[in-house]
Amino acid sequence: MPHNDEIAVEFCDVTYCPGDRPLVSNLNFTVYRGEALILLGRSGSGKTTTMKLINRLLTPTSGEVKVEGISTVEWNPIKLRRRIGYVIQETGLFPHFNVERNVGLVPALEGWKPNQIKSRVYELLDLVGLDPGQFAQRYPDELSGGQKQRVGVARALAANPPLMLMDEPFGALDPITRLEIQSEFRRLQGELGKTVIFVTHDIQEAFTLASRIGLMQGGRMVELGTPTEFLQSEEPEARTFLGCLEAMAETREMAMRNNI
């Protein structure tokens, strides 16, 4: 749990129902400043919908989402989104912009001076493990998947937003690169103290990155707690996910035995 109890995001009885069936129902939870809340669940459980309600890509049908104590419908949407770093699986980099221009985009829109932007971009590339001398002038199609993902994280951090939303950002990476970036991201989050809401269907990733895990099923939050609390949960869907974790551990053990 974070050291202070300031609230970054709050869901107050939120339902989002664009048609006959609600995509999320009666969501009530709080995200504290400086914590990493992982939204875990199967495809279609409502994780991404929940995230899009935070940066007002979607508006609740009923209830209220508050960011920094203000309802999302009272925020100017552009101002709200500039307070939030957003990282998605496809990175969303502009192919015709080089890395420096991609990372410096939001500071440029905010009216930062060119030398200020350059210095921030170089600092962030260093921070995410990309040498600015080598990478600043490259274009997205000259980068590997892992390098693009690092640029995506640097861009989301560029204007120093207090809140980061990450939607399965490492899902398309190979397992080795994924582990490297998870560990790099955990270090970054600890260092920068950002509030992070991170969507995944991978329980191992959830345990690697979370200060708390929110488990979603059928548009509802069915479990919310620390990784330790999650391990002790009696909730059937939590037990199913924990079964996957145990199966992975057994497979690793078997592989190691067979190699001996």
Side-chain angles (χ1 to χ4, degrees):
M1 195 52 65
H3 298 302
N4 59 29
D5 60 355
E6 281 187 81
I7 292 171
V9 176
E10 193 173 6
F11 276 67
C12 310
D13 209 24
V14 172
T15 292
Y16 176 68
C17 185
D20 306 337
R21 189 178 59 87
L23 297 185
V24 296
S25 305
N26 310 110
L27 290 180
N28 286 288
F29 66 92
T30 299
V31 186
Y32 297 99
R33 291 189 199 281
E35 81 165 324
L37 175 70
I38 307 300
L39 294 178
L40 175 68
R42 307 180 199 212
S43 296
S45 60
K47 308 181 301 294
T48 296
T49 300
T50 301
M51 186 171 275
K52 286 179 173 175
L53 287 161
I54 297 169
N55 62 0
R56 208 179 153 182
L57 289 175
L58 300 174
T59 305
T61 310
S62 62
E64 190 175 46
V65 180
K66 294 179 184 175
V67 175
E68 297 176 4
I70 300 164
S71 171
T72 52
V73 295
E74 289 170 24
W75 275 93
N76 170 306
I78 292 169
K79 278 191 177 151
L80 174 65
R81 287 172 201 146
R82 287 189 189 166
R83 302 278 297 154
I84 297 172
Y86 194 35
V87 189
I88 54 176
Q89 191 173 115
E90 297 79 22
T91 73
L93 298 178
F94 291 106
H96 54 294
F97 284 6
N98 65 17
V99 165
E100 182 173 336
R101 200 165 163 205
N102 263 294
V103 176
L105 187 62
V106 176
L109 293 171
E110 292 279 346
W112 293 26
K113 294 188 172 70
N115 58 347
Q116 220 184 341
I117 295 171
K118 193 182 191 79
S119 138
R120 178 68 175 156
V121 168
Y122 278 45
E123 174 197 346
L124 284 167
L125 290 177
D126 268 334
L127 200 61
V128 298
L130 295 174
D131 172 14
Q134 207 183 330
F135 288 97
Q137 301 312 313
R138 285 195 193 175
Y139 285 82
D141 65 0
E142 300 174 281
L143 304 174
S144 71
Q147 288 164 348
K148 282 182 192 167
Q149 217 49 73
R150 288 167 190 263
V151 173
V153 170
R155 185 177 65 177
L157 289 166
N160 205 15
L163 177 61
M164 297 274 286
L165 302 181
M166 307 188 75
D167 193 353
E168 306 226 22
F170 312 142
L173 302 177
D174 65 82
I176 293 168
T177 307
R178 188 169 179 166
L179 281 173
E180 279 173 6
I181 293 198
Q182 284 170 355
S183 124
E184 186 84 0
F185 185 74
R186 194 173 50 184
R187 177 190 66 76
L188 268 182
Q189 201 254 340
E191 215 172 273
L192 302 175
K194 297 285 176 201
T195 307
V196 176
I197 300 165
F198 189 112
V199 159
T200 187
H201 59 261
D202 179 338
I203 185 151
Q204 216 164 12
E205 184 162 72
F207 270 82
T208 303
L209 300 175
S211 34
R212 285 190 304 155
I213 299 171
L215 177 63
M216 298 200 67
Q217 183 183 24
R220 293 176 183 273
M221 180 84 73
V222 294
E223 185 67 51
L224 178 61
T226 64
T228 307
E229 288 165 345
F230 196 91
L231 283 169
Q232 293 155 0
S233 170
E234 293 304 318
E235 166 61 45
E237 184 73 348
R239 300 312 312 167
T240 303
F241 270 95
L242 289 167
C244 299
L245 206 55
E246 284 156 21
M248 285 179 212
E250 279 167 24
T251 307
R252 265 200 306 271
E253 210 173 297
M254 205 183 301
M256 285 166 76
R257 271 206 306 270
N258 290 342
N259 286 336
I260 288 169

